[in-house]
Amino acid sequence: MNTSNVTKPKNILMIVMSIAWLVAASAVFVETDAYRYACAVLAALALSHYLTMPRRPATNWLGWLCMAWGVYVAVRFLHFYFLTRPHESGASEWLYAFPFFFPILGVAFSMTEAWIERVVAAFFAIALLMLGATSKFGAIFAGETVKPLIMNNQIHGAVACGLILLAAYFWLLHYLSDHNAKPHLRRYALVVCPLVMVLCLISIYGAKSKGVWLALTLTLPIAGLLSLTYLRAKAGLLVIVLAAIVLGCGVYAVRHNLHKTAGPTVGAAISMLEGFQDGSDFDGVVRGTIDSPTTPVSMDERLQLWYDAGEMISAAPIFGWGSKWVDQLNASRYPNVRYTLFHNGYLEILVRYGIFGAAVMSAILAALFFSVFRAFRVGAIPRAAFHVYAVGLLFFALTLLSNSNNRLAIGESLALLSSAFACWCNMRITHDYDILTVQPAGKS
């Protein structure tokens, strides 16, 4: 069969979709809404492909659950909007409807499966260029606070660098351990990944985000232990020891700056914990910490927001407040905090959707995670793909304890991309997966 007439359109489609994946991931470099438009393009192309297939695969329960939750969020938002005066629109409400698009983005991922390795390689080339071009080394080593990459503030930049760091680490381990990897990509990874990782660590230090420091402190040891599954025992232990020495020396060299940044917050947190241990009233200890002049401003503001969120959750624990939560926040005990971000991603969910919403979203996340794990167990995806998915989500989940990163462009982009990958894994381990795939050019 002559395939010359279909090869070129397929190539053009794959190039367009590959670029769209890179734009969808661009939120870790530049904080814009470009990822939304890229995901819309990917979803539209995937839907067109899916609807024109002569034999479409059936949507399973996970796909229906994602779409049902998206519909629930949209209907609830419209209900509050049209039945209240003035119209209650909340803030960043639509991102919670994004699961509706997870299944179709999984189809988009399946269409570009053969191109993903090149897309990832291009991603790290962009990461190296962006980090190299935007890192302010003079200011960082002078002890100043900087905003890594092109972000709205330093916390966002630190979170982005943490995700890039972990992705580069496991990408490097993949090429170090996979003897069937393409030689040119292995050489490329050996050069690019260490540079990206070093630049990310320097930028994270310069951002002075205590929440990201804590998240990395808990995540990096896990990543280090996982390296033992890629390398021989002696080599793996040597890498871990050398990395620990280098990091330890770096921490020691900047210890005074670290203490200046995190010391007051740590001291206030310890004092508050001691109050709990002494049997003091929980409410009184928290309010006492808020009122204390020694509590750092950033911690004080977070405690005020968390206190208000706790009151709101206790008043509507099952289904939450929906988009009416902004009105309730303004009527809470501490209405003068300058944010409508709770600076805790879990409180964001509980305030809006209560225990019911948290349970449904937890079920979706657990099912997505299990799909990726099963794909790894049956050999459908590389070990590094599962590890970067799991450890990356763990890191991000830890950062949500002190910041509402799920409401940032980084968080939305991560949710869409990681869930597209997980939905693809879900399809990858089903019997009808092959009919979704668009064959690379030259194959028929």
Side-chain angles (χ1 to χ4, degrees), residues 339-356:
Y339 301 106
T340 55
L341 288 164
F342 285 109
H343 284 74
N344 182 295
Y346 307 104
L347 295 179
E348 298 279 358
I349 295 168
L350 287 167
V351 166
R352 287 173 172 81
Y353 300 105
I355 296 171
F356 169 75

Side-chain angles (χ1 to χ4, degrees), residues 24-88:
S26 68
V28 296
F29 305 131
V30 184
E31 197 164 8
T32 68
D33 290 338
Y35 69 94
R36 292 184 181 178
Y37 306 114
C39 286
V41 169
L42 288 165
L45 292 172
L47 182 61
S48 175
H49 172 69
Y50 183 80
L51 292 177
T52 56
M53 289 167 50
R55 191 163 56 91
R56 292 192 293 271
T59 302
N60 67 5
W61 70 270
L62 176 56
W64 287 119
L65 179 61
C66 289
M67 290 188 285
W69 173 256
V71 170
Y72 170 76
V73 170
V75 169
R76 195 171 187 213
F77 174 84
L78 293 172
H79 169 78
F80 282 124
Y81 184 80
F82 287 113
L83 295 184
T84 55
R85 294 288 186 275
H87 297 304
E88 296 285 0

Side-chain angles (χ1 to χ4, degrees), residues 2 4 12 35 54 58 68 73 78 80-81 122 128 151 187 206 259 300 337 368 374-375 433:
N2 185 357
S4 59
I12 293 173
Y35 69 94
V73 170
L78 293 172
F80 282 124
Y81 184 80
L128 182 58
M151 296 289 166
R187 291 191 293 269
H259 182 267
D300 188 88
V337 187
L368 293 172
R374 284 185 61 200
Y433 166 76

